[in-house]
Amino acid sequence: MHATDHFLHMHTYPPIPAKAHFQGVIKMETQQQNTAATVPSDEAKLTRTQAIAQMIWVDLGQTNNIQTHALKFYESVSCMESKTGEMRYGTVWRYAGEKIWRVETLDGVSLRCEGLASAKVSALDLAIARLERDGYVQCIPDEAEKVDEGEVIRCFVRVIGEATDPDDVGIEGIYLVEVHTTRHLDLELVTELEREEIANAVLNEFHERQGIEVLDDFNISVHLSDGSAIENDRDEVDRQLVRKADYCGMISESESPVLMRFRCPNCGETSPHEDDACILNAFIGLLRDRGIHKEHQLEKLHAYCDVSRLWDTLNGVLDDLGNGHYMDRQVVEDSSSSGD
């Protein structure tokens, strides 16, 4: 197939309910295309890892009540850096408010997936298979991929705040970032240094793909796949655990770990909350001020607190307080002697 025919064929999509919407996007991309696609020789074909490294997800936003993400493939690293020679190899979309995402491929495959992350994984696998058939990717993985014992960890970035810049409106939410590690990882045994390394990689990838005009308007936190928070107190960390991080875009709250959206067992507010009237939240704040516990430890202490036991203990303290057990006797005597 000629390169130009191949490019045009890649932009032909099967009929879907949002056909007009996607045709408009495809037409715009075709007009912006500056170079014709050329199928590489066998010696120049990419491995699966190399091909994935030359693919990015682009959040196309919402049009006509349809949210869309496009999977773009670049012919080379230099094309990726210059943003030229891009080709769309997959699309995931949903009607705003729905949980089901649709995956549309160049081969006319149409899948339904629950959750954006699941839809992107399916779209990526189908895109790699198509790239193999199109001659861009070699079917047999290279040696580096054969001995790879790493894994992919789902991490989450939570953005909370109130935008003062118009360009930041709608930035609040939860974002998925997939972290590729150099070895298998047991989350229960992750060291503080490894947590910092993961957080550093996630934040760097997030800020590279998601611009924020006024950072001071927002509180940005990073969470592991179990929902526990991880912190990064250093600008630079040694990369030993993390191979790379991939930004996957915003997800719905229902797709995030339960720990990230727990309700305070005392007052019922959704985490995080700023209610000073909640005594449990106030106690967690006091523990935070002590500086002994890490943030992910405080989250678990808050989320899994047995408030019945807490109040059983506090009721005794309140009884003692009401009976004057905590009064400063010297102050009372001085006050009595002075006639106050």
Side-chain angles (χ1 to χ4, degrees):
M1 181 182 293
H2 190 274
T4 303
D5 294 334
H6 169 72
F7 176 76
L8 294 175
H9 178 63
M10 286 193 307
H11 287 73
T12 302
Y13 285 79
I16 55 176
K19 182 178 180 181
H21 165 69
F22 289 117
Q23 285 180 336
V25 174
I26 294 164
K27 180 179 180 182
M28 178 185 68
E29 289 184 350
T30 305
Q31 292 172 343
Q32 293 176 343
Q33 181 70 23
N34 295 321
T35 60
T38 55
V39 178
S41 63
D42 290 343
E43 294 78 10
K45 287 182 179 179
L46 304 171
T47 65
R48 177 186 173 91
T49 298
Q50 291 170 332
I52 291 175
Q54 289 173 208
M55 301 171 80
I56 63 170
W57 280 103
V58 179
D59 186 346
L60 301 180
Q62 180 172 318
T63 303
N64 297 328
N65 208 38
I66 296 174
Q67 296 174 306
T68 311
H69 294 258
L71 180 60
K72 302 291 185 70
F73 169 71
Y74 291 87
E75 293 184 83
S76 65
V77 175
S78 60
C79 286
M80 191 171 188
E81 292 173 347
S82 62
K83 301 298 182 184
T84 59
E86 68 177 37
M87 296 170 280
R88 189 194 289 198
Y89 262 83
T91 301
V92 298
W93 63 277
R94 71 168 178 179
Y95 292 112
E98 284 192 355
K99 292 183 178 180
I100 299 299
W101 285 81
R102 278 81 166 177
V103 178
E104 304 291 341
T105 74
L106 305 178
D107 301 309
V109 176
S110 182
L111 303 177
R112 292 164 60 90
C113 300
E114 186 168 356
L116 177 60
S118 175
K120 285 186 172 181
V121 169
S122 297
L124 182 61
D125 288 340
L126 291 169
I128 291 296
R130 177 57 186 259
L131 282 166
E132 289 180 355
R133 295 196 298 275
D134 288 344
Y136 287 96
V137 176
Q138 59 181 355
C139 298
I140 301 176
D142 60 11
E143 292 301 317
E145 290 178 295
K146 290 179 181 179
V147 300
D148 178 21
E149 295 182 353
E151 60 183 311
V152 178
I153 300 174
R154 288 159 55 89
C155 293
F156 303 88
V157 177
R158 188 214 299 269
V159 180
I160 301 172
E162 186 172 345
T164 59
D165 189 291
D167 290 338
D168 288 338
V169 173
I171 204 73
E172 302 91 338
I174 299 174
Y175 299 79
L176 173 65
V177 177
E178 293 183 340
V179 174
H180 299 251
T181 64
T182 57
R183 58 177 172 80
H184 291 300
L185 199 64
D186 185 341
L187 294 183
E188 296 296 326
L189 302 177
V190 178
T191 67
E192 289 303 322
L193 285 177
E194 290 172 336
R195 284 176 175 271
E196 286 192 352
E197 182 182 345
I198 294 172
N200 180 270
V202 170
L203 285 174
N204 285 343
E205 175 70 4
F206 172 75
H207 286 300
E208 183 175 334
R209 301 302 184 96
Q210 181 63 66
I212 298 179
E213 295 298 323
V214 185
L215 283 173
D216 290 341
D217 286 346
F218 303 98
N219 176 33
I220 301 175
S221 58
V222 180
H223 303 259
L224 290 174
S225 56
D226 63 356
S228 60
I230 52 178
E231 300 172 84
N232 175 35
D233 298 326
R234 296 181 292 172
D235 293 332
E236 295 185 5
V237 296
D238 293 332
R239 284 288 186 92
Q240 298 180 353
L241 173 66
V242 177
R243 177 181 291 112
K244 68 169 185 172
D246 290 328
Y247 173 81
C248 298
M250 182 182 286
I251 62 174
S252 65
E253 184 174 303
S254 63
E255 296 177 77
S256 65
V258 174
L259 185 58
M260 287 182 63
R261 47 192 166 91
F262 74 87
R263 292 189 176 276
C264 174
N266 183 61
C267 70
E269 286 292 321
T270 303
S271 169
H273 64 294
E274 304 282 338
D275 189 0
D276 293 333
C278 173
I279 194 166
L280 175 56
N281 195 51
F283 281 157
I284 295 298
L286 291 174
L287 289 177
R288 182 178 289 109
D289 292 340
R290 286 184 175 183
I292 299 174
H293 296 81
K294 295 291 185 179
E295 195 62 32
H296 69 276
Q297 296 172 322
L298 293 173
E299 283 188 345
K300 287 186 176 180
L301 290 173
H302 194 164
Y304 303 129
C305 177
D306 185 339
V307 290
S308 296
R309 291 176 57 192
L310 175 64
W311 277 108
D312 285 344
T313 301
L314 289 178
N315 283 330
V317 174
L318 289 173
D319 289 341
D320 289 341
L321 179 62
N323 292 328
H325 287 282
Y326 301 112
M327 294 181 68
D328 188 323
R329 298 300 178 185
Q330 185 62 48
V331 173
V332 172
E333 292 175 0
D334 291 345
S335 177
S336 299
S337 61
S338 64
D340 294 338

